[in-house]
Amino acid sequence: MDDARRADALCERLSAAVPAEARVVVQVGRGPGWLGPRLPGRVVHRVEATERADDTGGGASGPDAVRAVDLARDPLPFEPGTVDAIVYADALPRLHDPLGALRRHGRVLRASGAVVCSAPNLQHHGTLTQLLRGDFHYAPGGPLDPSFVHLFTATDLVQLLLDAGFVPDVAGRIEDPGPGPGAALSAEAAVTAGAPLLELLGVGTADARRDLATGWLVVGGVLQEPVDPADEAPLTVVACVNDDAQLEANLLRSPCLAPGGPHEVLLFRDRTSAAEGLNAGIEQARNERVVLVHQDVYLPEGWPARLARQWRRAAAQGGP
């Protein structure tokens, strides 16, 4: 797909992912283009990054003005609770601390406000082909733009929004499957040739075909109700393990399960069945509440506090 078609398709997906009820929208970054004309009837503000703290464009006003903000350190130049949606048009890959920016910028959102993010997909077959051939080169304007300091998969973006306090969803994909199933550099050819490797890694062919064909991702998220970390009650998390790499990449990456925290993690290997391992975890747990999970589950920051809050709400409505 050429750059012009991709930019037009990406603008279309970003605009479609903005909630219909969002009246005040902030676009952060130029990305594929200016979304204002695609969002009629909305007030759309533009924010672009600057590395100079004194070049903030603080006097700019009105939807047509471009506000320059040091995205690495500063909040967005809007009053708290006055924005319905923030669109990060290829902006998050350019930030050294995208999680910190999402949290800082989210203060301007109304309750249940939304974010929409676009980023190139690291799993695209073209990028993986370069890596396997040893020809991994950065080039302006593409998925390996030199200005990108973070590279994302769909899972990475979903986990990022979870940690920032949003309920995420993959809202759109820009597909670039390649020149055709008979070509050497196509998603279909990569799935066919790599079938034994996909089976070894436990990756389904349908998922692989989708991810290898995705050139760009659009992920949205709705702001969750804030929680008080003091509401957390210690949990015991139990999982059966047969793939340590998957465990390390998911469950053990969960911020709320970091060493030194209040929660207990019990892992069981080489059991005759999953039931045996999970029952052993229930018996050995030192905490009152026990959560049974798969090794590929990711628990974001604040998840135990949200569980405790929902637990209390359920008990208040339905009893013990």
Side-chain angles (χ1 to χ4, degrees):
M1 181 181 293
D2 62 58
D3 292 345
R5 288 176 55 209
R6 183 183 67 209
D8 185 66
L10 191 50
C11 281
E12 180 183 345
R13 300 291 198 288
L14 283 169
S15 302
V18 175
E21 63 274 15
R23 311 317 300 168
V24 179
V25 180
V26 174
Q27 178 177 337
V28 178
R30 300 179 186 180
W34 169 230
L35 300 182
R38 295 174 181 262
L39 296 170
R42 327 282 187 96
V43 176
V44 186
H45 300 276
R46 287 188 278 184
V47 171
E48 294 186 2
T50 177
E51 296 181 357
R52 291 180 52 196
D54 59 344
D55 182 21
T56 59
S61 62
D64 294 327
V66 178
R67 295 162 172 83
V69 174
D70 183 353
L71 297 176
R73 295 185 296 177
D74 295 337
L76 295 181
F78 305 95
E79 291 297 319
T82 60
V83 174
D84 297 310
I86 304 172
V87 179
Y88 292 92
D90 290 359
L92 294 181
R94 294 182 165 91
L95 299 178
H96 286 278
D97 182 16
L99 177 58
L102 283 168
R103 288 172 172 166
R104 189 166 54 253
H105 300 167
R107 297 168 190 159
V108 306
L109 287 171
R110 304 183 195 277
S112 299
V115 294
V116 179
C117 316
S118 65
N121 175 35
L122 183 59
Q123 288 181 283
H124 183 249
H125 70 88
T127 304
L128 294 181
T129 297
Q130 290 184 53
L131 184 62
L132 291 171
R133 287 178 168 175
D135 297 325
F136 195 79
H137 300 300
Y138 288 83
L144 297 177
D145 191 292
S147 67
F148 293 157
V149 294
H150 279 277
L151 300 175
F152 293 101
T153 65
T155 298
D156 294 330
L157 280 175
V158 165
Q159 292 181 352
L160 176 64
L161 293 191
L162 280 170
D163 287 334
F166 294 89
V167 180
D169 184 36
V170 177
R173 295 171 179 267
I174 307 300
E175 291 197 358
D176 185 10
L185 302 180
S186 70
E188 190 62 40
V191 168
T192 300
L197 178 60
L198 294 174
E199 183 177 358
L200 177 66
L201 297 175
V203 179
T205 54
D207 290 340
R209 185 177 293 107
R210 176 201 62 197
D211 291 330
L212 288 167
T214 299
W216 239 263
L217 295 157
V218 176
V219 178
V222 177
L223 190 63
Q224 297 189 74
E225 182 182 350
V227 295
D228 185 349
D231 289 342
E232 285 197 15
L235 299 174
T236 294
V237 177
V238 181
C240 293
V241 179
N242 63 1
D243 187 332
D244 282 282
Q246 193 176 66
L247 173 73
E248 292 285 346
N250 294 280
L251 185 63
L252 294 187
R253 283 190 61 248
S254 301
C256 59
L257 301 181
H263 309 296
E264 176 185 37
V265 179
L266 299 179
L267 305 174
F268 295 89
R269 297 173 173 84
D270 301 322
R271 298 289 172 145
T272 57
S273 68
E276 179 188 342
L278 297 178
N279 282 324
I282 294 172
E283 293 172 1
Q284 298 176 26
R286 68 168 185 255
N287 295 314
E288 178 184 4
R289 294 173 185 167
V290 183
V291 182
L292 311 179
V293 301
H294 288 278
Q295 62 194 2
D296 61 351
V297 164
Y298 179 81
L299 304 179
E301 191 164 323
W303 187 85
R306 296 186 189 282
L307 176 66
R309 183 180 61 193
Q310 293 302 103
W311 188 290
R312 289 193 300 271
R313 287 179 175 174
Q317 294 175 9

